Amino acid sequence: MPSSLNGVPVIELRLDEANELLSAWACAQADAVGIRILLLKGRALSDDGLRPARTSADVDVLVDPRAFDAYCDAIVAAAWEEFPSTFASAHFTLHSRSFRRDGWPNSFDVHSEYPGFLRAPAVVFDALWATRRETAFAHRTCPVPSRAANAMVLALHSLRGTHKQERHRDELASVTAASFTAAERAELAALATATGAAYPLRDVLAAWGVAV
């Protein structure tokens, strides 16, 4: 039900609506300041058949690391507030920053690099950017990783969480069981080498029939 402010109805966004709108806004903001970003995870993973459809609690983007601070500055200037720092986030979470905004049910996670890709962040971003495609979110065209790159991102994400959450174990099983065309397997091999993910994903790559 809508709430009200000074007698004026305030419409609350559903989480799925907010994710679509924030994805489109994130890309529009990047275009406005001339910075390259890729939307990570989210709806594209289920569109690619890599995991069952579900509504995420946040929107993730990978930013060209050479422009990471500039992009975060643009987000703050647009009235998004960074989550308060904790001891753990200040000392151990150096690859991303998280933001929130009143009235939005989701958060916004901005990554300068993605754990598991072991080469230099700029090298990884350029490799993923080179195989990008475009997908519409809230009627705006946005850059997302290729299906092969999406599979690697999901596998790395799931591997980090399998010892903590059953959902991550299920998602790892789902993406490991995915099938790929010969062209996609060739792309997986090339990306695993270019991004330094061959060793972290060695078992998953073997299950995909990809030799690196």
Side-chain angles (χ1 to χ4, degrees):
M1 294 291 293
S3 57
S4 63
L5 180 64
N6 298 324
V8 178
V10 176
I11 305 301
E12 297 178 0
L13 289 170
R14 294 198 318 261
L15 191 54
D16 59 338
E17 296 171 332
N19 286 345
E20 289 283 315
L21 292 169
L22 180 52
S23 296
W25 181 87
C27 295
Q29 187 69 21
D31 288 345
V33 293
I35 293 173
R36 297 181 298 165
I37 69 168
L38 291 165
L39 289 177
L40 295 182
K41 300 185 293 181
R43 174 166 59 81
L45 295 179
S46 56
D47 288 350
D48 283 340
L50 299 173
R51 75 175 182 193
R54 69 177 184 83
T55 301
S56 301
D58 54 23
V59 168
D60 291 86
V61 299
L62 180 66
V63 181
D64 181 345
R66 291 153 290 209
F68 178 67
D69 289 336
Y71 186 68
C72 290
D73 289 345
I75 294 169
V76 172
W80 285 79
E81 175 188 11
E82 189 163 9
F83 275 82
S85 177
T86 64
F87 178 86
S89 65
H91 291 82
F92 304 114
T93 308
L94 305 178
H95 66 279
S96 66
R97 293 168 64 181
S98 297
F99 301 87
R100 63 188 177 185
R101 185 171 181 175
D102 287 344
W104 289 73
N106 50 355
S107 58
F108 187 20
D109 291 346
V110 182
H111 300 258
S112 63
E113 59 184 282
Y114 202 79
F117 292 118
L118 302 182
R119 294 201 184 277
V123 172
V124 171
F125 182 87
D126 288 344
L128 298 177
W129 180 262
T131 62
R132 75 192 182 283
R133 62 209 158 124
E134 294 185 333
T135 298
F137 291 85
H139 303 290
R140 182 182 180 86
T141 300
C142 298
V144 299
S146 68
R147 182 172 184 265
N150 261 345
M152 295 173 67
V153 168
L154 178 57
L156 289 170
H157 178 69
S158 299
L159 281 167
R160 292 202 311 276
T162 50
H163 66 290
K164 298 187 226 178
Q165 294 187 27
E166 183 177 353
R167 175 173 65 81
H168 289 297
R169 292 192 291 272
D170 291 343
E171 290 183 349
L172 181 61
S174 178
V175 72
T176 301
S179 59
F180 298 93
T181 65
E184 287 173 330
R185 286 195 297 273
E187 184 184 342
L188 285 164
L191 280 175
T193 300
T195 61
Y199 185 75
L201 292 179
R202 59 197 180 279
D203 294 335
V204 179
L205 289 168
W208 289 339
V210 176
V212 179

